[in-house]
Amino acid sequence: IFGGTAVGVVATLSTTDLFAKDASLVGSKYAAKKIATLADLASGKPLEFEYPAKGMTNVLVKLGEKAGGGVGRDADVVAFSATCTHMGGPLGAETYKPAHKVLGPCPLHLTTFDLTHHGMVVSGHATQSLPQVMLELRGSEVWAVGMMGLVYGYGHNPKA
């Protein structure tokens, strides 16, 4: 019989910690591509676009609340790969749920991703966050400039 004492330490993060002013996204840089203007975006109405290469579909959405990696006056404009990280299922604009700010569920195994927290898994079989498109705001234009995370189906993010 073994005896002893187990001690656990739990760290908590406040919302301010998650959106630290000095935090930055690290990922693969690609040639910048204009995606939309802020005037094109309505809260809860996602737009699909291809980036960084042809056939790589992503979803751009104005969430209506502050999000990790978000741009715009309210830091609420984000974009993510539309390919599930579990088995590559399609997560098009039609899977966006504005009430919960999630993309999904994936039609293959029901994974759902939280768009306010860098695409982290909410439920389902996926174990990796949804790759986030790195965005820049240039005046009123939203530009894609890179990808944070590995796009499903690639051993490394492809060349554009």
Side-chain angles (χ1 to χ4, degrees), residues 12-138:
T12 59
L13 294 174
S14 70
T15 304
T16 7
D17 295 329
L18 294 173
F19 304 111
K21 291 182 181 175
D22 294 333
S24 63
L25 299 177
V26 178
S28 301
K29 293 283 188 178
Y30 293 101
K33 177 180 178 180
K34 180 183 170 190
I35 304 304
T37 65
L38 292 175
D40 295 334
L41 304 176
S43 190
K45 304 284 186 192
L47 299 173
E48 289 187 5
F49 65 97
E50 290 185 346
Y51 183 82
K54 186 175 171 128
M56 296 180 79
T57 305
N58 303 279
V59 176
L60 174 74
V61 63
K62 179 176 178 54
L63 299 172
E65 72 180 62
K66 190 173 189 175
V71 299
R73 186 185 61 178
D74 299 321
D76 66 342
V77 177
V78 294
F80 292 87
S81 170
T83 304
C84 181
T85 58
H86 177 237
M87 289 185 67
L91 293 167
E94 70 280 357
T95 71
Y96 178 65
K97 308 293 184 287
H100 303 290
K101 315 296 189 243
V102 298
L103 203 57
C106 172
L108 299 182
H109 296 99
L110 307 178
T111 299
T112 301
F113 300 90
D114 181 349
L115 303 188
T116 64
H117 291 98
H118 296 288
M120 68 185 243
V121 176
V122 173
S123 64
H125 292 306
T127 58
Q128 295 179 9
S129 295
L130 204 55
Q132 186 167 11
V133 179
M134 298 165 63
L135 300 175
E136 279 184 6
L137 198 58
R138 299 179 182 180

